[in-house]
Amino acid sequence: MNFKGIALAVAAMASVNAYAANDVYGTVSEIHLRSGDNGDHDIYVRLDVMKDYSTFESCIIDGGTMTWDLDMSSPVMPQQYQMLQRSYSEKLPVVISGFADVCANGNTNSDKIFELSPWSWDAYLNKPQAN
C-alpha cells in the first residue's frame, strides 16, 4: 500500500472514532418542548432504545432514559424535529449519534444530537399489511 493509501485509511478511521460516542437506535417515545422566560428554549426527546444495536459512552448513567437535545440554532433543526415527530407518531426507528465530548463533565444522562437518520424506514413502511 502506498503512503497516500495509508494516510487515507488512517484519516478515515480517525474521523469515525472522533464521533463514535453515543450511537443509539430506537423509536421516539417522548418529545418535550420548553419555552423559558430567559430564552432558554429547548426541544429534547427520549427513545424506546433498541439495546442490541445501541452503544453508549461509559459516562451515560442510563441509556434507556437518557434525553437527546436538538441544537435550536442549527440550520437543520426543523428537518430533525420533523423526523423525530414522524418517528414518534409512526413508531419508525431512527439512529442518533451524539457528540464525542459528552463525557467531558463526568456522568450524565443527556447528549446533544450530532447526527440523526431514519433507520430501515423502507422495511417498516413497505411491510405487507395483515388482512
Side-chain angles (χ1 to χ4, degrees), residues 46 49 51 56 59-67 108-110:
R46 285 195 172 94
V49 175
K51 292 182 181 177
F56 299 95
C59 66
I60 298 300
I61 297 167
D62 181 0
T65 63
M66 72 181 290
T67 59
T108 185
N109 211 26
S110 66

Side-chain angles (χ1 to χ4, degrees), residues 34-112:
R34 184 180 72 218
S35 183
D37 291 339
N38 299 320
D40 58 340
H41 309 299
D42 195 15
I43 298 174
Y44 61 96
V45 300
R46 285 195 172 94
L47 299 180
D48 282 330
V49 175
M50 298 171 163
K51 292 182 181 177
D52 291 345
Y53 300 105
S54 301
T55 57
F56 299 95
E57 282 292 315
S58 60
C59 66
I60 298 300
I61 297 167
D62 181 0
T65 63
M66 72 181 290
T67 59
W68 291 93
D69 290 305
L70 273 78
D71 179 355
M72 301 299 286
S73 65
S74 171
V76 297
M77 191 280 297
Q79 290 83 4
Q80 289 178 330
Y81 182 62
Q82 188 175 47
M83 185 181 299
L84 293 167
Q85 284 180 308
R86 188 162 183 204
S87 172
Y88 177 77
S89 65
E90 298 180 39
K91 295 300 173 204
L92 296 170
V94 293
V95 58
I96 300 177
S97 297
F99 280 81
D101 67 349
V102 67
C103 294
N105 294 320
N107 289 345
T108 185
N109 211 26
S110 66
D111 198 354
K112 292 177 279 187

Side-chain angles (χ1 to χ4, degrees), residues 7 13 23 62 64 70 75 93 124:
M13 288 173 52
D23 194 32
D62 181 0
L70 273 78
Y124 285 86

